Amino acid sequence: MNNELLEKYALLLVKTGINIQKDQTLVINSPIECASFTRIVSRIAYIEGAREVVINWRDELSSRIKFMNAPEEVFCEYPDWQRDFYVSSARKGAAFLSISASDPELMKDVNPERMSKANKAASTAIKEYRDRLMSNKNVWCVASIPTLSWAKKVFPELSEDKAMEKLWNSIFKK
């Protein structure tokens, strides 16, 4: 990927999407697959005055393993420590950036009832956090970047490198 474009995109997200303020905490929710881009965003946030950048990594493969193998009752629970983190961060005025870049095929064999239960448990547990975001009490932004799983889905006839390059160029009109 073009590092100059990634830098510009990260700067756009930090300065315009989030409008980070001096000494404000930025919470980034990111898939592991987007680690290099997330680190660029983190660096730029600090340069632009963030007090702290906290990254919550998501691992879709681990989530799939859980959905396929964990006992049913797990999906009706949400960890207290996660709830406390999101609610207390929101109360302290943190900004939230979510990088959305999931694999379009990874969860196709997962029982949708399990996913629904997990989403319901999360929604209930972090209601205050979500209410704060939806009422704009906290700054939030959702962004995405091209990923290999999407490139292979969109351009299955190309090699991974060529598919990624073509997807990147089609999105950023290079």
Side-chain angles (χ1 to χ4, degrees):
M1 280 192 228
N2 184 319
N3 280 343
E4 184 181 334
L5 284 177
L6 287 174
E7 293 271 339
K8 287 180 180 179
Y9 185 39
L11 184 63
L12 177 70
L13 292 174
V14 170
K15 289 187 82 164
T16 304
I18 292 296
N19 188 23
I20 197 74
Q21 300 297 301
K22 183 170 175 26
D23 295 326
Q24 185 176 32
T25 296
L26 173 60
V27 176
I28 304 174
N29 296 304
S30 176
I32 289 173
E33 187 176 4
C34 302
S36 59
F37 178 69
T38 301
R39 292 181 188 115
I40 293 169
V41 172
S42 176
R43 181 176 48 77
I44 288 174
Y46 280 119
I47 290 168
E48 293 299 319
R51 178 180 185 278
E52 183 177 17
V53 177
V54 179
I55 302 171
N56 292 317
W57 297 109
R58 290 186 319 272
D59 179 1
E60 283 189 304
L61 291 173
S62 293
S63 294
R64 177 181 166 74
I65 291 167
K66 179 179 177 179
F67 280 119
M68 297 299 284
N69 298 288
E72 197 70 30
E73 64 270 11
V74 168
F75 305 108
C76 297
E77 303 167 355
Y78 190 82
D80 290 342
W81 66 269
Q82 280 185 319
R83 181 200 63 231
D84 295 345
F85 168 77
Y86 281 107
V87 171
S88 80
S89 295
R91 287 178 182 169
K92 292 176 184 173
F96 296 88
L97 173 63
S98 293
I99 299 173
S100 177
S102 60
D103 182 328
E105 299 291 326
L106 191 63
M107 299 294 186
K108 70 180 181 182
D109 297 330
V110 170
N111 180 342
E113 287 181 28
R114 287 178 159 226
M115 294 175 75
S116 178
K117 286 179 183 179
N119 287 336
K120 183 177 179 182
S123 291
T124 301
I126 58 175
K127 182 180 182 333
E128 179 182 344
Y129 156 76
R130 290 190 178 184
D131 287 348
R132 290 184 66 91
L133 268 57
M134 293 300 102
S135 65
N136 293 321
K137 290 181 180 173
N138 291 80
V139 177
W140 60 278
C141 180
V142 177
S144 189
I145 62 168
T147 61
L148 183 57
S149 59
W150 271 104
K152 291 188 320 191
K153 179 79 173 165
V154 175
F155 302 109
E157 72 284 358
L158 299 177
S159 70
E160 289 182 357
D161 290 342
K162 292 289 185 189
M164 192 64 173
E165 180 182 346
K166 189 166 183 175
L167 181 61
W168 180 258
N169 290 339
S170 67
I171 291 171
F172 290 97
K173 307 291 187 226
K174 186 176 175 192

